[in-house]
Amino acid sequence: MSSSPSPANSANGGDTTNAGNGQDLNLLHFLDKVRLAATRDAKEDEGEDSPTELNTINSAGGFLVVSPDKLSVKYTNMNLHGHDVGVVQANRPAPVKCLTYYFEIFVKDSGVKGQVAIGFTKESFKMRRQPGWEVNSCGYHGDDGFLYRGQGKGEPFGPKYTKDDTVGGGINYATQEFFFTKNGAIVGKIPKDIKGHLFPTVAVHSQNEEVLVNFGKKKFAFDIKGYEVSERNKQQMAIEKISIPPNIGYGLVKTYLLHYGYEETLDAFNLATKTTVPPINIDQGNAIDEDDSPYALKQRKILRQLVRNGEIDAAMVKLREWYPETVQDDKSVVCFLLHCQHFIELLRVGKLEEGVKYGRLELAKFVGLTGFQDIIEDCFALLVYEKPEESPVGYFLEDSHKELVADAVNAAILSTNPNKRDAQSHLHSHLEKLLRQLTVCCLERRSLNGDQGETFRLHRVLDNNSTRR
Amino acid sequence: MYTDMDPRQFEHSVVDDNDIHSIVMSYLLHNCFNETADSLASCTGVKQPSDDRDNIQRRKQIIHFVMEMKALKAVELTEQLAKDLLEKNKDLHFDLLRLHFVELVCARKCNEAIEFAKTILAPFGTVHKYVEKLEDAMALLAYDDPEKSPLFHLLSSEYRQQVADNLNRTILEHTNQPSYTPMERIIQHVTVVRQYLTEENGKDAFPPFSLKDSLKG
């Protein structure tokens, strides 16, 4: 990612985002959009490894025996005191970039005293104590049905469990809770105060106790998928309860059309909403600031058309004529994107040699400048491929990239508006701001949860809507 | 002070423009702005979902009839479009019929209005909520100028728009389409997440969310 220059480095008084040469550093955001296109096809979520079996190395050796398949454990000793618990953890900690994690045990033999336990512990756990008897651990114990979470005394939690019972332990990352189940039904949940990675943990403590562990290879007794669905529904229902300000959509669409300069669509929209009897009144106390008069609408439309048609030279001429400040600095983002686009247009029609010449002339000056280097390299990579449109850098040839360049030009023109609301209003439409706000808030919330839980993807929000009624 | 954009960590949060365009597109189609949608499609290159054009046209007609004070026409067309929709949504059905009553009162056709109320609205009256609503509407008859009555909002375009909106969503739901737009869901979602952040971390870290302020900022 480019390092955004700190806003404090300018000598200019008011607008600190312009370097001395008039360059608008805010426009670097459009380079980030180019990079977004590059990663769009990348895999959505990197797989996290899950626990698959019991850890035979880090276990209370001497007190218990783990089976060869590492999915069951038996207490072989005679327990004499509280520091000879047969504890064993899973081979890996529970993955965190998901909604929940869950595993189950089956009590094959409750032995002499039935002191089986299931829970979660950290890597550093003392492997001779029941989960929950030490801080930063928790355990649901079969002999008393209590929940232990770091204090000596446990608290009443659920039913006891014994031979032939299936008991499950889980983590809900959205609510930051532990939950436990018995024979397919939820027993209860408690807040998860422990941070960091947690290992599924099983313990046996009296002679002949034996427990089988299921990390997901076999079907669970508890319907964890159904549980996840109902948890997601809970959040969805909280969302659907929120009242929506009337006509806010109208304001968002109108300002969106004004922002991008889609004049015909704006006309069609104005016409359509005028004939909605009565006209939609957006002036009274609406959320959208009506300051967005159509600044330079005609000019922005013309420039967008030129860029779309690949007429980059003509676009630059017009910009120099109408808004010289946007292209004054030869090393500005707008100049960069336009030069790149010209290069791409030459390649598109097979004029490779001319393209290289042009690139050497106009793009070389950006090499070595932070923030441009990676994009130039990707762009030049187009030369290498027989079929560049099918290559990993093929996105440069798509219409969406032309639109991106047109958007940057659009933003640059908007930035010359003497009446603009603030230093950044030319960058994003209100709608985009809202989307960014949503993304940032979800990321922030997740970050405050120790980066646990499902990663936020706007698509999930959009797709979720189309499958629900 | 936490403003609408948290500069601390997520400055480089980038939104895919295609998502923005498709959100606007779905809003336009939800609200039957089909010509605008066509224009947007050619402007942005965003493909329109293969929505049933016929459905959009019919919905558009129905909604316009409500707004144009032709509620009975809207009811008629709705019944043509989806036979049992109004049966299954009695509240909505009642609201539409009551609109017709209001239209008659506004047109000073008081006798017709009373007749309509007796024959069509009264049968709903066994259920308490309808009784109340009916009584509200009947009260309009007591005024020479219904606009001066305390129930003038029943005559307002805002109220008609509310009913029209409700009808639009019900038709969409009935034809197995989402009844709320992604745009609306996003507004709701932002509000909820900001609420969580304030609840979980306190008002100093995350001041209560104002959509209005956040959009002005």
Side-chain angles (χ1 to χ4, degrees), chain A residues 1-2 4 29 32-33 36 40 235-236 238-242 244-245 247-250 252-253 256-257 260 262 264-265 268-269 272-273 275-278 280-281 285-289 308 400 403-404 407 421-422 429-445 447-448 456 458-459 461-462 465-466 468-469, chain B residues 2-6 8-24 27-28 33 35-37 39-45 64 67-68 157-158 160-161 169 172-174 176-197 200-201 206 209 211-217:
Chain A
M1 281 284 191
S2 79
S4 184
H29 183 77
D32 286 338
K33 291 218 180 198
L36 180 69
R40 192 177 290 142
Q235 165 129 4
Q236 189 63 21
I239 288 171
E240 290 177 9
K241 278 209 191 95
I242 302 291
I244 304 162
N247 293 326
I248 192 167
Y250 170 85
L252 285 171
V253 170
Y256 156 92
L257 294 171
Y260 285 96
Y262 297 139
E264 281 105 12
T265 314
F269 189 58
T273 50
T275 63
T276 309
V277 179
I280 299 175
N281 282 326
N286 194 314
I288 310 293
D289 207 345
R308 268 203 197 133
S400 54
E403 283 305 308
L404 202 156
D407 289 343
R421 261 171 297 122
D422 59 61
S429 58
H430 285 294
L431 178 56
E432 185 176 3
K433 267 214 182 111
L434 200 61
L435 291 171
R436 287 186 57 160
Q437 171 82 207
L438 177 59
T439 307
V440 164
C441 286
C442 288
L443 289 173
E444 182 75 36
R445 188 152 180 255
S447 153
L448 291 167
F456 174 73
L458 188 58
H459 273 292
V461 175
L462 300 176
N465 191 60
S466 63
R468 283 179 64 83
R469 292 186 44 204
Chain B
Y2 186 90
T3 54
D4 67 320
M5 280 326 296
D6 185 349
R8 281 177 287 179
Q9 295 185 58
F10 304 114
E11 212 174 79
H12 292 290
S13 170
V14 182
V15 175
D16 189 332
D17 289 306
N18 285 321
D19 289 338
I20 303 173
H21 300 318
S22 75
I23 286 168
V24 175
Y27 166 92
L28 293 173
F33 295 127
E35 285 107 4
T36 313
S39 174
L40 185 65
S42 58
C43 261
T44 61
H64 276 221
M67 295 307 295
E68 289 164 13
S157 62
E158 282 83 23
R160 284 200 295 282
Q161 187 166 23
R169 293 192 208 274
L172 285 165
E173 195 179 44
H174 193 91
N176 280 323
Q177 294 171 76
S179 52
Y180 280 82
T181 57
M183 192 185 284
E184 290 170 310
R185 288 296 183 229
I186 283 166
I187 292 167
Q188 292 173 316
H189 200 146
V190 170
T191 310
V192 166
V193 176
R194 276 298 297 261
Q195 276 174 2
Y196 284 150
L197 282 171
E200 292 163 8
N201 300 284
F206 295 99
F209 181 60
L211 183 62
K212 198 172 169 141
D213 293 342
S214 135
L215 290 174
K216 275 191 157 73

Side-chain angles (χ1 to χ4, degrees), chain B residues 38-212:
Chain B
D38 285 339
S39 174
L40 185 65
S42 58
C43 261
T44 61
V46 166
K47 275 203 319 231
Q48 293 192 64
S50 50
D51 269 1
D52 187 356
R53 268 320 163 87
D54 183 56
N55 181 285
I56 292 180
Q57 266 309 116
R58 294 169 84 172
R59 264 193 303 128
K60 187 172 173 178
Q61 260 195 316
I62 292 170
I63 303 311
H64 276 221
F65 278 136
V66 175
M67 295 307 295
E68 289 164 13
M69 298 185 71
K70 298 192 176 127
L72 273 193
K73 207 70 180 100
V75 168
E76 186 190 318
L77 288 185
T78 304
E79 277 168 350
Q80 281 174 21
L81 176 62
K83 260 176 51 180
D84 50 353
L85 189 155
L86 290 173
E87 252 175 62
K88 291 189 179 155
N89 291 280
K90 287 214 180 308
D91 285 1
L92 177 60
H93 194 186
F94 183 82
D95 283 344
L96 286 164
L97 293 172
R98 189 170 73 150
L99 267 185
H100 177 72
F101 173 84
V102 170
E103 288 161 15
L104 290 172
V105 171
C106 280
R108 304 284 194 265
K109 295 183 178 161
C110 290
N111 286 331
E112 234 182 288
I114 294 172
E115 224 9 73
F116 181 75
K118 272 196 197 156
T119 50
I120 307 289
L121 290 180
F124 280 86
T126 47
V127 180
H128 180 71
K129 58 181 164 171
Y130 296 135
V131 171
E132 256 186 58
K133 283 186 160 187
L134 185 51
E135 286 176 358
D136 279 351
M138 296 304 287
L140 286 172
L141 286 169
Y143 294 83
D144 275 336
D145 190 354
E147 311 236 328
K148 299 242 166 75
S149 79
L151 298 145
F152 67 92
H153 88 279
L154 289 178
L155 285 73
S156 68
S157 62
E158 282 83 23
Y159 178 69
R160 284 200 295 282
Q161 187 166 23
Q162 215 178 298
V163 177
D165 226 26
N166 192 2
L167 180 53
N168 188 34
R169 293 192 208 274
T170 308
I171 295 174
L172 285 165
E173 195 179 44
H174 193 91
T175 55
N176 280 323
Q177 294 171 76
S179 52
Y180 280 82
T181 57
M183 192 185 284
E184 290 170 310
R185 288 296 183 229
I186 283 166
I187 292 167
Q188 292 173 316
H189 200 146
V190 170
T191 310
V192 166
V193 176
R194 276 298 297 261
Q195 276 174 2
Y196 284 150
L197 282 171
T198 305
E199 273 165 25
E200 292 163 8
N201 300 284
K203 291 198 178 125
D204 293 328
F206 295 99
F209 181 60
S210 155
L211 183 62
K212 198 172 169 141

Side-chain angles (χ1 to χ4, degrees), chain A residues 248-360:
Chain A
I248 192 167
Y250 170 85
L252 285 171
V253 170
K254 183 155 180 201
T255 50
Y256 156 92
L257 294 171
L258 279 168
H259 178 90
Y260 285 96
Y262 297 139
E263 196 184 17
E264 281 105 12
T265 314
L266 183 60
D267 288 341
F269 189 58
N270 282 336
L271 188 64
T273 50
K274 209 174 286 180
T275 63
T276 309
V277 179
I280 299 175
N281 282 326
I282 46 93
D283 308 306
Q284 286 89 22
N286 194 314
I288 310 293
D289 207 345
E290 267 309 288
D291 226 6
D292 287 293
S293 39
Y295 174 75
L297 195 54
K298 287 256 172 315
Q299 292 90 334
R300 290 188 281 132
K301 188 177 138 193
I302 290 171
L303 254 337
R304 185 176 288 278
Q305 208 48 47
L306 287 173
V307 172
R308 268 203 197 133
N309 293 341
E311 298 174 49
I312 307 301
D313 274 338
M316 297 209 74
V317 165
K318 280 274 177 280
L319 275 176
R320 260 183 224 115
E321 187 189 339
W322 292 337
Y323 306 101
E325 60 268 56
T326 60
V327 288
Q328 201 175 301
D329 172 18
D330 210 20
K331 294 209 185 69
S332 68
V333 172
V334 170
C335 286
F336 174 70
L337 287 172
L338 286 169
H339 287 312
C340 264
Q341 195 59 32
H342 189 97
F343 172 79
I344 290 167
E345 295 304 329
L346 288 169
L347 261 54
R348 198 195 297 279
V349 292
K351 295 184 179 166
L352 271 66
E353 219 182 283
E354 205 181 318
V356 172
K357 246 171 85 177
Y358 185 82
R360 287 212 184 115

Side-chain angles (χ1 to χ4, degrees), chain A residues 63-67 72-76 204 208-211:
Chain A
F63 302 128
L64 52 65
V65 163
V66 177
S67 62
S72 72
V73 59
K74 188 170 178 163
Y75 194 80
T76 45
V204 286
N208 294 327
E209 276 178 31
E210 188 177 354
V211 154

Side-chain angles (χ1 to χ4, degrees), chain A residues 446-467:
Chain A
R446 191 161 172 275
S447 153
L448 291 167
N449 267 350
D451 270 329
Q452 298 183 344
E454 291 180 304
T455 48
F456 174 73
R457 294 264 183 259
L458 188 58
H459 273 292
R460 273 209 205 106
V461 175
L462 300 176
D463 292 340
N464 197 40
N465 191 60
S466 63
T467 52

